[in-house]
């Protein structure tokens, strides 16, 4: 019985929070936009089912458990469930949603997943619209890194450290989402800036402008880096993920 009510509480809290995030425009921090409609409909159906479970009584169950004391205990449990739902849903709603950070990027390893950019494998043609995902794909898949050298780029993302040379190289990082935040893959473009921690911080959102060149670092395993001409702190983007 207790396990059933715990499941009801968690279901209702999750469904209410999902609808709330959608209404406030924060659902994109958790779910890919193409799944918004399905997610919201599922959450609404879940709320209806949970509410129905409170009001619909099962006679056979009542008969089996009969007795005034038993019925009183069930009423107490029902009140407790309602209170727990209010607090659980309230906590999810009141606590501000947050984007994934460099800690998650370190756990999942930047550029370790398979991300397909918009025809960026060779970085040929017009690269003016390339973002972090496209350049990260180009640097990883290109067979002609020399052909990328000298190409300019202006990229926006948050700062995560290169694990091989965290003092001199950082990544302009974004999370690539295919379904939801649970499967988000960190993608990033390495930036060579000695002692970068003196001017920017981990997880700080920055806009970096510069040109690509062979990596001067003797520790980093990144063959090509963006050598910055300007690094500017910016506000976190309203849509921080890439798709």
């Amino acid at each position: 019985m207790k396990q059933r009510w715990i499941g009801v509480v968690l279901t209702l809290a999750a469904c209410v929070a999902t609808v709330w995030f959608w209404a406030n425009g924060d659902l994109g921090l958790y779910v890919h936009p193409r799944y918004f409609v399905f997610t919201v409909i599922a959450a609404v159906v879940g709320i209806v089912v949970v509410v129905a479970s409170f009001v619909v009584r099962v006679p056979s169950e009542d008969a089996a458990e009969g007795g005034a004391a038993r019925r009183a205990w069930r009423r107490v449990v029902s009140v407790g469930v309602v209170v727990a739902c209010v607090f659980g849903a309230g906590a999810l709603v009141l606590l501000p949603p947050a984007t994934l950070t460099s800690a998650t990027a370190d756990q999942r390893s930047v550029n370790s997943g398979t991300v397909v950019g918009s025809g960026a494998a060779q970085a040929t043609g017009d690269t003016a619209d390339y973002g972090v995902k496209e350049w990260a794909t180009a640097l990883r898949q290109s067979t002609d890194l020399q052909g990328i050298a000298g190409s300019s780029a202006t990229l926006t993302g948050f700062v995560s450290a290169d694990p091989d040379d965290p003092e001199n190289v950082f990544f302009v990082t974004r999370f690539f989402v295919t379904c939801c935040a649970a499967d988000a893959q960190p993608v990033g473009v390495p930036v060579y800036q000695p002692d970068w921690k003196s001017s920017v911080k981990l997880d700080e959102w920055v806009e970096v402008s510069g040109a690509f060149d062979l990596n001067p670092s003797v520790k980093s395993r990144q063959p090509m880096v963006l050598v910055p001409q300007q690094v500017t702190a910016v506000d976190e983007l309203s849509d921080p993920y890439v798709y």
Side-chain angles (χ1 to χ4, degrees):
M1 176 65 72
K2 290 183 179 180
Q3 291 180 346
R4 175 199 170 200
W5 287 118
I6 291 173
V8 170
V9 171
L10 295 176
T11 300
L12 183 57
C15 291
V16 170
T18 297
V19 174
W20 177 266
F21 290 146
W22 169 75
N24 284 275
D26 294 323
L27 189 58
L29 297 179
Y30 303 97
V31 180
H32 192 292
R34 68 169 168 257
Y35 298 116
F36 279 5
V37 174
F38 170 79
T39 301
V40 173
I41 291 175
V44 172
V45 171
I47 293 173
V48 172
V49 171
V50 170
V51 171
S53 72
F54 284 114
V55 299
V56 175
R57 301 182 62 184
V58 182
S60 60
E61 195 174 286
D62 288 341
E65 297 183 4
R70 180 74 69 178
R71 289 194 296 271
W73 176 82
R74 293 186 65 182
R75 285 195 291 270
V76 171
V77 172
S78 297
V79 172
V81 168
V82 172
V83 172
C85 284
V86 171
F87 277 100
L92 286 173
V93 168
L94 294 177
L95 292 176
T99 58
L100 299 174
T101 65
S102 62
T104 306
D106 291 341
Q107 292 172 358
R108 301 181 185 181
S109 298
V110 177
N111 298 333
S112 64
T114 302
V115 177
V116 179
S118 302
Q122 301 298 327
T124 57
D126 185 7
T127 60
D129 294 331
Y130 276 18
V132 170
K133 182 185 73 172
E134 289 76 25
W135 277 118
T137 303
L139 293 175
R140 181 176 178 178
Q141 297 183 357
S142 178
T143 57
D144 181 22
L145 290 179
Q146 289 287 355
I148 296 177
S151 299
S152 59
T154 298
L155 305 174
T156 301
F158 68 89
V159 175
S160 65
D162 179 355
D164 301 313
D165 190 0
E167 301 301 321
N168 300 306
V169 180
F170 69 88
F171 287 100
V172 180
T173 317
R174 301 283 291 273
F175 277 95
F176 174 71
V177 174
T178 55
C179 178
C180 60
D183 67 19
Q185 301 177 38
V187 293
V189 173
V191 177
Y192 179 77
Q193 181 174 317
D195 193 29
W196 58 267
K197 293 181 182 179
S198 63
S199 56
V200 296
K201 301 177 182 178
L202 279 176
D203 295 316
E204 182 176 14
W205 279 75
V206 295
E207 181 182 85
V208 181
S209 298
F212 288 98
D213 203 348
L214 296 178
N215 193 354
S217 171
V218 296
K219 297 180 180 179
S220 175
R221 289 183 290 180
Q222 306 299 320
M224 183 74 64
V225 293
L226 186 64
V227 179
Q229 297 174 341
Q230 185 174 6
V231 179
T232 307
V234 297
D235 293 333
E236 180 180 311
L237 299 180
S238 58
D239 190 3
Y241 302 145
V242 293
Y243 307 101

